[in-house]
Structure formats: structure tokens, C-alpha cells
Amino acid sequence: MLKKFFVKNKKGFSLIEMMVVVIILGLIVLGLVTFFTGGAKSWVAGQSQLEAQRNARQAMDIMVREIREGNSIASGSNATSITINYLASFGKSPVTYNLPSGTTTIKRGTTHLIDSVLLNGEDIFQYYNSNGIEVTSPDSTVSKVHINLKVDVDNDGNPDITLNTDVNLRNYGL
């Protein structure tokens, strides 16, 4: 009896039915590939954003630590450059952080510190005296430095990461 049932249906699938199945499966696979590709791109973008944020935070921490230890800011400092002088008892040479003109890399002396830094018409370093008044031409009266660090991860001209902090020179006036 079971044998009769299988023999009865000898027709199979037509070419049109097979083509419809292949097209439907192709659309499903295309949708899945698009979905997973978008997810992978988002993950990569998130990872690069995370790495840039980590690098910016580390660079900021290094600058803050060294500025805080200083006892004066050298007179050659400006909106994109800062030179910190230390007490002789520290036995430490002056340290300079600068963003050379036409570049996007802040350097500590000649050593690379962080890439993709944006100015966007704003100063990276702002200087204040002990009365809290901004000093436009930094000299030995500077006791506080404001750091405004903007990083453009995807190079679209807009900052993706912005870090701001105020640093008081711990050894100012000693």
C-alpha cells in the first residue's frame, strides 16, 4: 500500500518551481549577508572609537601629570604648545608638548603622543594666573592650564572625542 503512494506521485518539481525556490533563498541569503556586514562594520567602528578614546585619555593623563608637577610655564608657550619647567630638585629637564603647524599630531618633545587632533578655531592650551585671569602671553605668572583636546577618529572634520580639564601647577611659586 505504501509503495502505491510513492509510485502515484512521479511528477517531481518543475524548472519554474526550482527557480522560484532559488530566488527566494537568494533573497534570504542576501538579507543575512547585508545584516551581518552592517554589524561587522559597526563593531569595527566601535572598536576604533574605543581605541581612540583610550589613546586620548592616556595622552591627557600624561600631560596632566607632567603639567601638575611643574613650577612654571615657559614664555614660549602658546595656544598649541606648552613648555613646563620643573624645580631643580626634581632633576628633570623642561618638557614641551606641541602641535606643529599643519599637522594633527601632538608631540612630547620629538616623541609622538596622539594623532587626529583638531583645532576647530579653539586653543588646546589656555593659561591662567593665580587670580584666575586668562594670560594671553604665558609667562612665569601662569599657575593654571586648561587643556581642550579634540580628536577626530573618522577624519570627517568633526570631533568624535572631546576631553577638557584644568590643571593647577602643584609647585607654582616654589
Side-chain angles (χ1 to χ4, degrees), residues 58-72:
Q58 287 175 344
M60 180 71 88
D61 288 346
I62 290 168
M63 287 190 288
V64 165
R65 183 177 59 247
E66 290 192 328
I67 292 170
R68 188 171 285 143
E69 291 173 355
N71 75 319
S72 69

Side-chain angles (χ1 to χ4, degrees), residues 38-63:
K41 285 180 181 178
S42 294
W43 185 80
V44 168
Q47 288 299 94
S48 64
Q49 177 86 8
L50 182 65
E51 182 182 357
Q53 198 168 16
R54 187 179 316 118
N55 291 341
R57 184 79 255 162
Q58 287 175 344
M60 180 71 88
D61 288 346
I62 290 168
M63 287 190 288

Side-chain angles (χ1 to χ4, degrees), residues 20-40:
V20 168
V21 169
V22 168
I23 290 172
I24 290 172
L25 286 175
L27 291 174
I28 291 171
V29 168
L30 181 65
L32 289 172
V33 166
T34 302
F35 176 75
F36 286 118
T37 303

Side-chain angles (χ1 to χ4, degrees), residues 83-146:
T83 300
I84 306 110
N85 295 317
Y86 297 95
L87 292 171
S89 61
F90 276 30
K92 207 171 173 184
S93 302
V95 174
T96 300
Y97 292 101
N98 69 331
L99 179 68
S101 180
T103 68
T104 61
T105 301
I106 290 183
K107 295 185 175 196
R108 181 189 182 276
T110 58
T111 307
H112 167 87
L113 188 63
I114 186 168
D115 279 327
S116 303
V117 176
L118 287 179
L119 287 177
N120 280 0
E122 296 180 32
D123 299 339
I124 294 174
F125 303 106
Q126 293 172 312
Y127 307 96
Y128 298 89
N129 64 19
S130 57
N131 297 324
I133 299 169
E134 186 172 359
V135 177
T136 55
S137 180
D139 55 18
S140 61
T141 65
V142 172
S143 66
K144 180 168 137 182
V145 178
H146 177 78

